[in-house]
Amino acid sequence: MSEEVQVTGMVLSAMPIGEYDKRIVLLTRERGKITAFARGARRPRSPLLAATTPFAFGVFEVYEGRNSYTMRSARIKEYFQDLTAMQPGIYYGFYFLELADYFGQEGNDETQMLNLLYISVNAIRKGKMDPRLIRRIYELRTLTVNGEAPQMFCCQECGGREKLKVFSMRECAVYCEECAGRVKDPRPLRAATILACQYIISVPMEKLYAFTVTEEILSELEQLMNAYLNRYLDRKMKSLEILQAMENLL
């Protein structure tokens, strides 16, 4: 018989299997991204009914099989139920889950990504910060956690840290004013936009959502992240289509 394993994680997605079962994807600290089957989880009185919904965060007891896990029980610490009533907050939340699913890998230490996901969903739920900014912070920090962050701290050409002026999507790096003329695909950036990127990439996780920017800087950050993600992601996030439609209505 397989050994029981305890993992701390969040449910990224859930889908019905058969008449009463569910297949869920979990992002966990201990085992990375895993797939687990919850037998009878769709029965009205099943103790796993609420524990197998997206956003459920807690400790899950699972048995490891050859290709997947079987969930035995769960102790949920946070369901984020109030998020479901927030518009468009819930769509930001689903986008965050899908992006975490995209980058998550089985067997990896996903502690940082799980922490980032938790505090980002929580930031949306609190409603104290523009969700558009939360989204861009989450995207850039996700890239950072997964080793794909752009080089934003010094000029790619001379190494200087002063008067950083343009960004090259081709090189994924910034260039200073003196070296900008050598960039084949220059994307001008304001100093405050570069500073915001530096902050997002390097600040301790607990301070990630403790700042704000002007609409002008946010717009520039949005354009930068859209272009950068189009370069690195090999598919369109399904939840993003709904989110973008909701953003256009605001």
Side-chain angles (χ1 to χ4, degrees):
M1 190 176 197
S2 300
E3 183 180 356
E4 184 178 295
V5 179
Q6 284 193 352
V7 293
T8 299
M10 182 180 287
V11 178
L12 300 181
S13 63
M15 66 184 310
I17 297 293
E19 189 172 359
Y20 296 112
D21 303 337
K22 274 188 179 182
R23 174 186 177 273
I24 68 169
V25 176
L26 285 165
L27 184 68
T28 73
R29 291 173 180 166
E30 299 85 356
R31 300 293 178 100
K33 187 178 74 171
I34 64 173
T35 298
F37 289 90
R39 310 300 180 189
R42 295 168 62 208
R43 295 181 184 275
R45 296 184 180 180
S46 171
L48 298 179
L49 180 62
T52 53
T53 56
F55 302 106
F57 175 86
V59 178
F60 300 82
E61 296 182 358
V62 297
Y63 288 104
E64 185 176 6
R66 180 175 299 179
N67 299 312
S68 63
Y69 293 77
T70 299
M71 184 183 298
R72 180 178 178 274
S73 63
R75 300 191 303 277
I76 302 302
K77 300 178 181 179
E78 181 62 73
Y79 289 100
F80 291 101
Q81 290 178 322
D82 49 345
L83 187 65
T84 60
M86 298 179 66
Q87 303 291 339
I90 185 61
Y91 299 108
Y92 281 97
F94 277 119
Y95 172 55
F96 294 173
L97 294 182
E98 190 174 4
L99 202 58
D101 192 345
Y102 179 88
F103 281 101
Q105 297 291 327
E106 185 171 0
N108 282 2
D109 181 351
E110 297 288 0
T111 300
Q112 287 191 66
M113 193 62 220
L114 182 61
N115 290 345
L116 174 62
L117 180 58
Y118 182 89
I119 66 171
S120 300
V121 173
N122 205 38
I124 290 290
R125 181 175 67 171
K126 288 180 178 178
K128 297 180 180 180
M129 193 172 184
D130 189 334
R132 293 162 55 211
L133 178 57
I134 295 174
R135 170 188 169 181
R136 302 309 175 167
I137 293 172
Y138 177 76
E139 290 171 340
L140 182 51
R141 191 57 175 245
T142 294
L143 290 165
T144 301
V145 169
N146 288 279
E148 301 291 353
Q151 202 295 96
M152 302 296 294
F153 291 89
C154 62
C155 176
Q156 182 76 355
E157 183 71 21
C158 69
R161 295 179 178 271
E162 302 295 329
K163 298 181 180 181
L164 300 177
K165 185 177 182 180
V166 302
F167 183 83
S168 168
M169 194 62 64
R170 181 177 180 179
E171 301 297 331
C172 302
V174 289
Y175 289 77
C176 70
E177 187 174 13
E178 292 184 2
C179 300
R182 305 175 191 177
V183 181
K184 295 182 179 180
D185 61 334
R187 177 186 291 266
L189 291 179
R190 293 177 175 82
T193 303
I194 295 174
L195 185 62
C197 290
Q198 292 174 346
Y199 183 90
I200 295 166
I201 291 170
S202 62
V203 75
M205 198 81 75
E206 62 272 15
K207 296 181 179 180
L208 195 55
Y209 294 110
F211 78 105
T212 188
V213 295
T214 65
E215 180 64 30
E216 196 174 53
I217 300 305
L218 176 55
S219 178
E220 198 166 79
L221 186 59
E222 287 177 324
Q223 294 174 35
L224 176 64
M225 290 310 303
N226 284 342
Y228 199 80
L229 287 170
N230 284 338
R231 176 186 175 89
Y232 274 96
L233 302 185
D234 59 8
R235 63 177 173 85
K236 188 83 169 180
M237 301 290 108
K238 295 180 181 179
S239 56
L240 191 57
E241 297 179 7
I242 301 175
L243 176 57
Q244 289 175 333
M246 292 298 298
E247 284 183 332
N248 291 335
L249 294 176
L250 295 178

